[in-house]
Amino acid sequence: MSALKHYTAQGYDGFKQTVETIGKGQRIVALFTGSKILTTGKSWCPDCVVAEPVIDQIIKEPPVSETDVHFITVFVGNREVWRDPAVGFRVDPSLKLTCIPTLLEVGKKAKRLTEDQLTNKNLVIEFFVDEE
């Protein structure tokens, strides 16, 4: 039986540290999303707010294969941090994020879903099914 191990990371450095802790050779899926506003508990990013319930529902009962999946919710920071063209998420050649929310399989450049795709439950389910 497969399992989904959930982590939370704050910012680019937190993301890199979490990936390092998990280690090489593991299947890592990361959701990059806007940080939450303390007073509301919701992300400042409207697309992230819409996608969150869809993703939350799927990660509670993930449709994954035999391999364990390490799932990281990565809070990219506030709007000003995210908009900075030099922020690590945008310039890291292994990420090259252009929008949030983004669901990305770390180490697989072609495997990503963004923005409106993340409100499509079927696309998100397919994302978690490992083809290998």
Side-chain angles (χ1 to χ4, degrees), residues 1-49:
M1 185 71 185
S2 61
L4 187 133
K5 297 173 180 78
H6 196 177
Y7 307 80
T8 303
Q10 299 289 337
Y12 179 74
D13 290 340
F15 165 71
K16 296 304 273 183
Q17 288 171 347
T18 304
V19 169
E20 207 170 282
T21 301
I22 295 167
K24 295 203 184 306
Q26 302 293 321
R27 184 170 183 216
I28 302 172
V29 174
L31 170 67
F32 298 90
T33 186
S35 295
K36 307 250 184 204
I37 300 168
L38 292 177
T39 54
T40 65
K42 294 188 183 292
S43 173
W44 57 263
C45 163
D47 291 336
C48 300
V49 172

Side-chain angles (χ1 to χ4, degrees), residues 81-100:
V81 169
W82 169 246
R83 296 262 185 229
D84 181 351
V87 72
F89 299 112
R90 293 180 183 275
V91 297
D92 184 321
S94 67
L95 300 176
K96 288 286 188 189
L97 296 186
T98 58
C99 59
I100 54 173

Side-chain angles (χ1 to χ4, degrees), residues 49 71 78 108:
V49 172
F71 183 84
N78 63 27
K108 291 194 175 184

Side-chain angles (χ1 to χ4, degrees), residues 97-103 112-119:
L97 296 186
T98 58
C99 59
I100 54 173
T102 293
L103 189 64
R112 74 172 64 209
L113 294 175
T114 60
E115 296 177 318
D116 290 347
Q117 292 175 316
L118 293 171
T119 61

